Amino acid sequence: MTGYNNAHSVYSASGAYRWMSCPPSALLEQQFPNETSSYAEEGTAAHDLAEHKLKKALKLRSKKPTSHYHSDEMDEMTDLYVEYCMNLIETARTNCNDLQILIEQKLDFSDFVPEGFGTGDLVVVGNGTLHVVDLKYGKGVVVSAERNPQMMLYALGALSLFEMLYDIEKVSMTIIQPRVDNFSTYEISVDELLAWAEEELKPKALLASTGGGEFCAGDHCRFCRARNQCRARAVKNLELLKYEFQDPALLMNDEIAEIISLADELSKWASDIYSYATALAINEGRQWAGFKLVEGRTRRKYTNEETVAGTAKAAGYTDIFKHTLISITEMEKLMGKKTFKDILGDLVEKPQGKLTLVSEADKREAVEPITAEFQIEE
Ligand code: SF4
């Protein structure tokens, strides 16, 4: 490997979309601490549980992990992941009696990215196809597998493990994001993957390793550690405020469409800056001109429900309890999926979601607008 000798290991596969879109972000991020969040911890707990369940399904030894993040929902979602993986494995097995199955496999793609490695949740190889599967427990952003750099990096790592042993022609990459019902698969030939690695990945990694290239703000800023103080992001977002309004007095439709597309990113940016400034004010006493810290509005609550019930009863009040039905997830768990479907299937509905305006890139199918009952007279 040439050109990367002094490079730092700053290129996570999960951040590949970001540093490939904005190469200098890789080094800029290094001055900020690695953030963890309850979402990240929850994701780790889900991965541990999914790994355990998949191993058990494959009759491998595994000790059940414990975590206070475990929940009925996590149980259900990791079951969906395992079901998908087992189907994939069974299908692959029908074509190959020499299948390799790797769970939570360290994948080294340092031939392409300095010191680059990651962990593949599931890698299956046999009979010409390499499968790479990634579980995503988050539900904030729906992630597509299509030309997803993180998945392509994992595929490169898996390829370097097996290319000498198997005749691999294509790679199938799947992202399973069960909480948003996203099962996204993308297939690519090995030749195309390697061409991408040489022509796009390597030059971007080289730029990133030297802090070169242009800062470029976009939706990839979302998890960048520099996002709160990044000037490039501020400049890009403040462009909205420089919008040149011209005659006529009312905005035209295409102007409104342009403002909506900018406003989405602008609101995320404003929210990041607000959270950042609030955290510094609370934790470090930082003063921001024109702002002060106050206590938010709260609602009254009982200090101890048992004591309240006892005290109210002793005072002669008996009609003080409400009965509520257990949740659908709890009921399904209680009865088992099949019985639940048989007994209560017809009594469960999924209400129509509130209509929301989203970017055309969103994977959900477009719906017809509500038809106006009357026309406004011209
Ligand atoms: S916030 Fe965005 S523009 Fe700024 S360094 Fe990070 S990825 Fe690049």
Side-chain angles (χ1 to χ4, degrees):
M1 190 172 58
T2 56
Y4 299 141
N5 296 342
N6 297 318
H8 302 282
S9 178
V10 294
Y11 320 89
S12 64
S14 57
Y17 173 50
R18 177 170 59 257
W19 59 254
M20 286 193 70
S21 305
C22 175
S25 66
L27 287 189
L28 188 69
E29 269 199 314
Q30 297 312 301
Q31 56 188 290
F32 299 96
N34 228 332
E35 299 158 343
T36 185
S37 66
S38 57
Y39 297 115
E41 288 165 7
E42 187 185 39
T44 304
H47 271 85
D48 292 346
L49 185 60
E51 177 187 356
H52 163 72
K53 286 185 178 182
L54 186 54
K55 283 183 173 165
K56 286 309 237 184
L58 290 165
K59 306 206 179 339
L60 299 169
R61 282 165 68 93
S62 175
K63 189 164 172 269
K64 188 173 181 190
T66 53
S67 166
H68 66 272
Y69 285 106
H70 287 176
S71 64
D72 287 349
E73 186 190 20
M74 191 177 285
D75 206 25
E76 197 182 328
M77 296 301 124
T78 46
D79 279 351
L80 287 174
Y81 166 77
V82 172
E83 191 181 314
Y84 185 98
C85 292
M86 290 306 289
N87 279 337
L88 185 153
I89 291 167
E90 286 316 314
T91 309
R93 211 170 245 150
T94 55
N95 295 322
C96 177
N97 46 20
D98 183 22
L99 206 64
Q100 281 279 349
I101 302 167
L102 303 172
I103 298 169
E104 289 293 309
Q105 174 66 35
K106 184 171 171 183
L107 300 170
D108 182 335
F109 45 86
S110 57
D111 282 351
F112 305 94
V113 174
E115 300 176 37
F117 67 88
T119 306
D121 293 334
L122 173 68
V123 176
V124 178
V125 61
N127 217 27
T129 304
L130 170 74
H131 298 269
V132 182
V133 180
D134 192 47
L135 168 66
K136 296 208 180 292
Y137 195 66
K139 58 179 182 178
V141 183
V142 179
V143 188
S144 167
E146 188 169 341
R147 293 194 78 80
N148 181 307
Q150 178 183 12
M151 298 304 288
M152 289 162 91
L153 286 174
Y154 288 165
L156 287 169
L159 200 59
S160 65
L161 274 180
F162 292 112
E163 62 190 345
M164 303 297 280
L165 305 171
Y166 289 82
D167 190 14
I168 302 168
E169 287 159 15
K170 67 176 178 183
V171 177
S172 171
M173 296 164 276
T174 299
I175 287 176
I176 301 178
Q177 203 174 2
R179 289 165 93 197
V180 284
D181 201 21
N182 177 33
F183 296 79
S184 172
T185 296
Y186 179 65
E187 278 190 6
I188 188 172
S189 71
V190 167
D191 288 347
E192 205 185 330
L193 178 68
L194 292 175
W196 170 81
E198 287 299 330
E199 290 159 21
E200 288 187 51
L201 176 63
K202 268 188 170 179
K204 293 276 171 62
L206 188 54
L207 278 179
S209 70
T210 56
E214 297 286 320
F215 284 104
C216 173
D219 59 354
H220 51 269
C221 297
R222 188 179 165 125
F223 297 112
C224 179
R225 302 209 295 271
R227 67 188 179 280
N228 298 318
Q229 287 166 274
C230 175
R231 189 169 296 280
R233 191 181 182 209
V235 167
K236 175 157 188 216
N237 285 307
L238 288 170
E239 274 169 18
L240 174 61
L241 303 177
K242 290 189 208 144
Y243 200 90
E244 285 188 22
F245 297 105
Q246 294 171 356
D247 288 340
L250 298 179
L251 291 173
M252 309 295 284
N253 283 350
D254 55 350
E255 290 176 308
I256 290 177
E258 193 171 337
I259 290 170
I260 296 173
S261 68
L262 290 166
D264 187 34
E265 177 52 30
L266 183 59
S267 79
K268 284 183 199 140
W269 174 63
S271 159
D272 281 346
I273 300 282
Y274 197 83
S275 305
Y276 170 73
T278 305
L280 283 186
I282 293 171
N283 302 323
E284 295 179 18
R286 181 78 59 88
Q287 299 282 331
W288 303 104
F291 287 84
K292 63 183 178 184
L293 274 182
V294 294
E295 282 196 0
R297 294 196 172 82
T298 55
R299 300 178 64 178
R300 296 177 302 162
K301 62 175 192 176
Y302 295 127
T303 52
N304 181 314
E305 291 201 0
E306 231 173 274
T307 312
V308 169
T311 310
K313 272 194 214 162
Y317 295 94
T318 51
D319 195 13
I320 57 172
F321 288 103
K322 282 198 281 198
H323 292 284
T324 55
L325 203 55
I326 58 176
S327 71
I328 291 179
T329 308
E330 287 166 327
M331 189 74 85
E332 202 171 40
K333 186 101 182 159
L334 182 73
M335 295 181 170
K337 270 189 185 167
K338 189 175 176 318
T339 314
F340 174 84
K341 200 172 168 210
D342 292 345
I343 300 179
L344 296 177
D346 290 343
L347 297 173
V348 174
E349 62 173 3
K350 198 164 184 298
Q352 195 183 1
K354 188 178 163 210
L355 293 185
T356 314
L357 196 59
V358 298
S359 149
E360 232 169 19
D362 192 287
K363 288 221 146 248
R364 284 168 290 183
E365 204 173 313
V367 297
E368 289 298 317
I370 299 164
T371 317
E373 286 180 9
F374 58 89
Q375 298 281 321
I376 297 170
E377 284 180 26
E378 302 255 344

